Amino acid sequence: MKLPDKIDQIKSYLIQNDFPEEIEAAIILGSGLGDFSTTIDEPFSIPYNQIPGFPHTTVTGHSGELFTGTTKGHKIIAFSGRFHHYEGHPLETTVLPVHLAKAFNAKKLIVSNAAGAINTRFKVGDLMVIDDVFRIFQKVAPAVSQPYRYNLGPVADKVRSIAASIGLEVQRGTYLYAKGPSYETKAEIRAFRVMGTDVVGMSTAPELIEASRLELPAAAISLVTNMAAGVLNQKLDHSEVKAAAESRKDDFAKLVTELIDRL
């Protein structure tokens, strides 16, 4: 399937600057999860603002660097920061990491995010494997509006099995994609719970849908960084994201490392 012309240009620039020509896996690191980059062997990075044709990221918790190196001997690239639709980026731009992963012939894509828990059985710090996505009243661009052709369920089963083998307990459930940037209201969260969703966030769904279109195998993990509006009687605060990510950064890194090697 044809990729946007600028993807070849970006890939050529990266290869000229010591990136490999092919990789095993690409990882998109969500808010507060950029510390995974410190676990990469022989890391090398380029700031987004130095890559021709690359957008910038403006969100707290996203450093805005593209890393390469190896993990368990596998060549990888890792996006420390993503491009959200609510920042003003068109949906075609939000899926640029997926396009670049495909251009580098990645065998797998691992997507992560920070999310708010709708499911009252979840708690802050939980890692949840996404086995389905839900888009509520969202307009999507033609490039990311193709049928969702593969089922995340079997992938979620395998991720949970791998997690269990290294002593990690993970949840699984449905991720609700909301445009943002405002948090959802209490009434909306009550409605989303009735609809059967488990966590809510402002990314990931376009990336998974585009990976499906490109037939790029993908797994997705949410870190529960806060309880959604109305679940607890307290004000939502972005600082919660940093605290929750700090508490689980080692477990997250262990899991992603194993997924790169075994998924």
Side-chain angles (χ1 to χ4, degrees):
M1 296 182 181
K2 183 174 173 56
L3 299 173
D5 292 339
K6 73 175 182 178
I7 297 300
D8 285 339
Q9 298 166 5
I10 293 171
K11 181 183 177 183
S12 295
Y13 171 83
L14 293 173
I15 290 173
Q16 291 168 14
N17 286 272
D18 298 324
F19 273 61
E21 294 189 6
E22 292 193 354
I23 59 171
E24 172 69 20
I27 304 96
I28 301 174
L29 299 169
S31 294
L33 297 170
D35 275 354
F36 172 79
S37 61
T38 65
T39 70
I40 299 172
D41 296 325
E42 301 178 358
F44 174 72
S45 68
I46 300 179
Y48 288 171
N49 60 17
Q50 293 183 15
I51 303 173
F54 231 68
H56 301 172
T57 183
T58 63
V59 179
T60 301
H62 293 253
S63 68
E65 292 180 88
L66 181 58
F67 285 83
T68 190
T70 62
T71 296
K72 285 201 168 184
H74 301 295
K75 294 178 181 179
I76 67 166
I77 58 174
F79 298 84
S80 185
R82 53 159 50 93
F83 321 110
H84 299 83
H85 189 39
Y86 66 73
E87 294 177 86
H89 297 299
L91 282 163
E92 289 90 341
T93 298
T94 69
V95 298
L96 183 150
V98 182
H99 291 161
L100 204 54
K102 186 69 173 180
F104 275 98
N105 295 317
K107 306 299 187 298
K108 65 196 76 169
L109 173 70
I110 301 169
V111 185
S112 66
N113 61 65
I118 297 171
N119 188 326
T120 56
R121 295 193 301 273
F122 289 3
K123 63 183 183 299
V124 172
D126 279 351
L127 293 169
M128 188 199 85
V129 186
I130 297 175
D131 63 13
D132 206 350
V133 295
F134 192 111
R135 293 170 295 153
I136 184 76
F137 308 131
Q138 297 296 324
K139 178 181 178 182
V140 294
V144 292
S145 62
Q146 301 299 319
Y148 205 13
R149 288 198 294 265
Y150 63 80
N151 181 4
L152 284 170
V155 176
D157 289 338
K158 191 166 184 180
V159 172
R160 291 192 73 186
S161 176
I162 291 171
S165 75
I166 58 172
L168 288 182
E169 180 180 350
V170 295
Q171 306 282 4
R172 69 181 295 170
T174 297
Y175 176 91
L176 186 142
Y177 169 59
K179 178 183 175 182
S182 300
Y183 286 119
E184 299 70 35
T185 67
K186 295 179 182 179
E188 288 170 336
I189 293 300
R190 288 196 300 270
F192 297 160
R193 187 178 297 119
V194 171
M195 292 176 184
T197 61
D198 297 290
V199 300
V200 58
M202 304 172 190
S203 65
T204 302
E207 296 153 340
L208 289 175
I209 292 168
E210 186 67 347
S212 172
R213 186 182 76 88
L214 295 174
E215 299 180 350
L216 173 59
I221 303 166
S222 292
L223 171 64
V224 175
T225 53
N226 59 274
M227 305 306 287
V231 178
L232 297 178
N233 187 26
Q234 63 187 49
K235 184 179 179 181
L236 298 179
D237 188 338
H238 191 72
S239 64
E240 294 174 308
V241 173
K242 183 176 180 180
E246 182 68 22
S247 72
R248 294 304 304 272
K249 67 179 182 180
D250 292 340
D251 288 338
F252 173 77
K254 288 177 185 176
L255 179 57
V256 172
T257 297
E258 292 301 316
L259 296 182
I260 291 168
D261 190 44
R262 298 163 55 186
L263 193 61

